Amino acid sequence: MRLTVLGGCGAWPAAGQACSGYLVEHEGFQVLIDPGYATLPRLLEITAAERVDAVLVSHGHPDHCADLNPLLRARALGDAPPAALPVHAPPGALDAVLALDRPGMLAGSFTVGELAPGRPYELGPFSLDVWSLPHHVPNAGLRLSGGGRVIAYTGDTGPSPDLADLARDADVLLAEATYPERVPEEDAPYLSTALDAGRTAATAGVARLLLTHLWPDTPREPALAAASARYAGDLAVAEAGLVVDLG
C-alpha cells in the first residue's frame, strides 16, 4: 500500500500549496481521499484522471471536496470518457460541488454512495470502515485496510471517544491538527489540535502519525512539538509530495 499526500492546508490553499488530498494505492487500485482545493493539478502529476478508481469524501466543506468538480470534468469531457467514478461521502455532502455545472453536463461520469457508520465497505482490494465524528457538518472518519496495512483518517473532528477505535494499531494516522495546542472556544467541539492528535496516536498504538489541516501559512514546528509531547512514535506534517510506502 502507498499513501501520497497531495495537500494538507486547512481552510484554503496557501501559496504553492493545496488543501486536503490523499492518494492511496494498492494492487493497482487508486483511491482518492478528499479532493480539496488545488489538489487536482498535483494528482495529475502522479496519475491520469481516468485511472482513479474511487473517491472518498470525509465531509462537504470545499477544502475537502472542491476539486471533485474538475476531476469529473477531466473524465467526462475527454475524448474517451471512462466508466462512472464511484464517489462515497456522508449524505448531502456532495450537493454543492455537484451543483457547480449545469444539470446533465457530468451525467454518467460518477455514481454517489453514502458513507454510513458501522457498515463495512469493499473498494477493490480495500476494506473500508466508517465512523461518524463531530464537526460543523456531518464528517466521516475513514479506516482503509489492504494487504494487512491500515490507514486511518479523521477528516475534521472535535473530541470523540471513537477516535481511538478508528486509529487502533493503524500503520498511518492522518489526523486533523488545525491548531497546535488550543482550539478557539467557538470551534472547540468541532476541530482538533496537534496535542489531541498526539494523544490519540499514543492511545491507539499508531505506528506513524501525520498531522494535517494545519492553518495556512503557519509554521510546522509548534504542531510537531505539541504532538510529540504526547506521542513518541514516527511523526511528520502531511505536506504535498510526501510518500509513505507501507509494503
Side-chain angles (χ1 to χ4, degrees):
M1 191 191 296
R2 170 181 288 183
L3 166 68
T4 301
V5 177
L6 306 175
C9 280
W12 71 89
Q17 301 296 320
C19 286
S20 293
Y22 317 96
L23 181 67
V24 182
E25 304 170 85
H26 182 53
E27 295 182 358
F29 195 92
Q30 299 186 340
V31 178
L32 174 61
I33 302 177
D34 276 8
Y37 291 126
T39 55
L40 183 63
R42 296 185 181 276
L43 175 71
L44 296 181
E45 292 174 353
I46 300 168
T47 190
E50 61 270 18
R51 288 197 58 213
V52 176
D53 295 294
V55 176
L56 301 175
V57 174
S58 64
H59 64 284
H61 284 158
D63 56 328
H64 293 258
C65 67
D67 271 24
L68 177 62
N69 174 261
L71 173 62
L72 294 178
R73 280 180 161 230
R75 293 170 65 95
L77 304 180
D79 293 334
L85 177 64
V87 183
H88 304 271
L94 303 178
D95 290 354
V97 69
L98 293 178
L100 289 174
D101 277 309
R102 69 178 185 271
M105 179 173 170
L106 300 177
S109 66
F110 65 92
T111 61
V112 175
E114 292 188 351
L115 291 176
R119 172 187 162 188
Y121 296 83
E122 299 297 326
L123 300 174
F126 294 102
S127 298
L128 172 67
D129 294 288
V130 178
W131 279 258
S132 179
L133 298 176
H135 191 44
H136 298 281
V137 297
N139 174 69
L142 307 173
R143 182 181 174 95
L144 203 59
S145 307
R149 302 296 187 179
V150 174
I151 294 173
Y153 174 48
T154 66
D156 292 353
T157 182
S160 171
D162 291 332
L163 285 165
D165 289 334
L166 166 71
R168 185 75 59 202
D169 297 325
D171 294 279
V172 177
L173 171 62
L174 277 162
E176 180 247 317
T178 305
Y179 300 94
E181 296 184 5
R182 188 181 70 84
V183 179
E185 184 175 353
E186 64 272 18
D187 287 327
Y190 311 115
L191 292 172
S192 295
T193 66
L195 190 68
D196 296 327
R199 185 181 297 113
T200 296
T203 299
V206 168
R208 182 167 188 169
L209 173 60
L210 297 181
L211 305 175
T212 191
H213 203 265
L214 276 63
W215 201 249
D217 293 321
T218 56
R220 66 165 83 162
E221 287 78 13
L224 292 170
S228 65
R230 294 291 183 270
Y231 175 69
D234 195 344
L235 172 65
V237 171
E239 295 178 312
L242 176 65
V243 177
V244 181
D245 280 309
L246 297 176

